[in-house]
Amino acid sequence: VFRKKFPLKYKAMLIVNNYLRYGKIEKKPCAVCGTTDRIESHHFDYEKPLEVIWLCSVHHKAVHGGMKKHFAQEADSQALSA
């Protein structure tokens, strides 16, 4: 059902997972908090499947949950402290 309802999203996820499996890309720490636990890829454009940012599951859910303003503020404060 998912891949029929969201074919572009499914294809992008499949490509990232295959690249990870074959060692062509590696997961990076969360772009917001820097953790390396429960890292997921996030696409801003499914037509560019390898252009992803890496987020922990908490921040990935926040982005998809409409908390983009919160996410942006955390990313800014993280960048300032680096």
Side-chain angles (χ1 to χ4, degrees):
V1 174
F2 177 82
R3 71 183 177 183
K4 285 187 180 183
K5 191 172 182 179
F6 305 103
L8 198 56
K9 184 176 183 176
Y10 176 77
K11 183 178 177 183
M13 291 170 51
L14 192 64
I15 289 170
V16 168
N17 288 336
N18 284 336
Y19 269 64
L20 284 167
R21 180 176 335 165
Y22 295 115
K24 293 183 178 184
I25 61 173
E26 292 183 3
K27 290 183 178 183
K28 296 181 181 177
C30 176
V32 178
C33 66
T35 188
T36 55
D37 294 331
R38 301 176 64 197
I39 298 298
E40 304 171 352
S41 62
H42 176 73
H43 296 90
F44 287 105
D45 183 350
Y46 294 120
E47 292 187 9
K48 299 174 184 174
L50 294 175
E51 290 183 20
V52 299
I53 62 168
W54 299 98
L55 300 169
C56 66
S57 61
V58 171
H59 289 111
H60 197 194
K61 286 177 187 163
V63 169
H64 284 281
M67 294 178 60
K68 291 182 181 181
K69 182 178 179 182
H70 172 74
F71 171 78
Q73 289 171 342
E74 273 196 53
D76 287 344
S77 67
Q78 190 72 8
L80 292 174
S81 67

